[in-house]
């Protein structure tokens, strides 16, 4: 069954509107005993109501993430643990991105490829001004954060470790 994100939110809003209308109607008729009884009945169902709202919120999140992934033409990244490497200096992390795109840029975005293999764990980025260095670094960081948040990432392929911290210090006031 396909349900749009807007439909889930509409169901929740409709439920509250009906509840407000019933309570307002009972208040205007002056039937305070009936209104009190109705409120008690609603209170007895509070756990079910809270559970329903929680499920609707979760469904809203799932559909929002799916809609965002479709808009970005994103893929599900592969999350990998840290693992020992041949070189004892290698931290054991994995960053492998193919045709990765910055998630906030639109238009003619140049995708990047990055692959830290068994022998690569440090990257030095140099080049002319407006050459894309900052965008490339931010793309890697944002995609790592997105993957760890359970979002799909705008790339053709993505394999990333789960990092305990992601830090950026870009020293030319572009942060």
């Amino acid at each position: 069954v396909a349900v749009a994100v807007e439909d889930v939110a509409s169901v929740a809003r409709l439920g509250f509107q009906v509840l407000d209308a019933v309570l307002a109607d009972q208040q205007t008729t002056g039937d305070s005993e009936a209104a009190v009884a109705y409120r008690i009945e609603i209170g007895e169902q509070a756990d079910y109501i809270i559970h329903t709202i929680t499920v609707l919120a979760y469904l809203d999140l799932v559909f929002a993430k799916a809609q965002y992934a479709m808009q970005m033409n994103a893929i599900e990244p592969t999350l990998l643990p840290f693992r020992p490497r041949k070189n004892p200096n290698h931290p054991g992390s994995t960053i492998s991105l193919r045709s990765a795109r910055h998630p906030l840029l639109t238009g003619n975005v140049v995708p990047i490829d990055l692959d830290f293999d068994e022998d690569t764990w440090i990257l030095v980025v140099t080049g002319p001004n407006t050459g894309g260095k900052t965008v490339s670094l931010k793309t890697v960081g944002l995609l790592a954060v997105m993957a760890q948040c359970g979002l799909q990432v705008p790339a053709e392929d993505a394999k990333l470790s789960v990092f305990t911290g992601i830090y950026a210090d870009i020293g030319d006031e572009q942060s």
Side-chain angles (χ1 to χ4, degrees):
V1 175
V3 178
V5 175
E6 296 81 14
D7 293 340
V8 174
S10 296
V11 168
R13 279 193 298 275
L14 180 62
F16 287 118
Q17 288 171 357
V18 168
L19 180 60
D20 288 344
V22 168
L23 291 175
D25 182 51
Q26 289 186 359
Q27 288 173 353
T28 58
T29 61
D31 191 3
S32 62
E33 287 182 28
V36 169
Y38 192 69
R39 286 189 187 98
I40 290 171
E41 186 177 334
I42 291 172
E44 290 171 352
Q45 300 300 319
D47 289 341
Y48 296 112
I49 295 169
I50 291 169
H51 178 72
T52 301
I53 291 170
T54 302
V55 170
L56 286 172
Y58 177 74
L59 287 173
D60 189 44
L61 171 66
V62 169
F63 286 122
K65 287 166 57 172
Q67 186 177 35
Y68 186 60
M70 288 176 18
Q71 289 172 354
M72 289 191 309
N73 193 24
I75 55 102
E76 181 179 347
T78 302
L79 296 177
L80 301 170
F82 279 67
R83 57 187 175 84
R85 304 294 175 107
K86 290 182 261 182
N87 185 326
N89 294 321
H90 196 298
S93 58
T94 299
I95 298 177
S96 179
L97 301 169
R98 187 167 41 92
S99 294
R101 302 172 310 279
H102 192 290
L104 301 178
L105 297 181
T106 59
N108 188 18
V109 177
V110 178
I112 63 168
D113 293 338
L114 181 65
D115 191 17
F116 285 3
D117 57 21
E118 292 288 324
D119 299 319
T120 308
W121 66 93
I122 294 175
L123 177 66
V124 176
V125 182
T126 64
N129 290 342
T130 68
K133 299 178 299 294
T134 301
V135 170
S136 295
L137 292 172
K138 288 180 177 183
T139 298
V140 174
L142 281 171
L143 268 54
V145 170
M146 288 174 68
Q148 289 182 212
C149 289
L151 295 171
Q152 294 190 359
V153 298
E156 287 183 13
D157 186 49
K159 295 177 183 72
L160 297 159
S161 291
V162 176
F163 297 95
T164 56
I166 298 174
Y167 307 97
D169 182 13
I170 301 172
D172 57 357
E173 297 180 19
Q174 294 186 46
S175 303

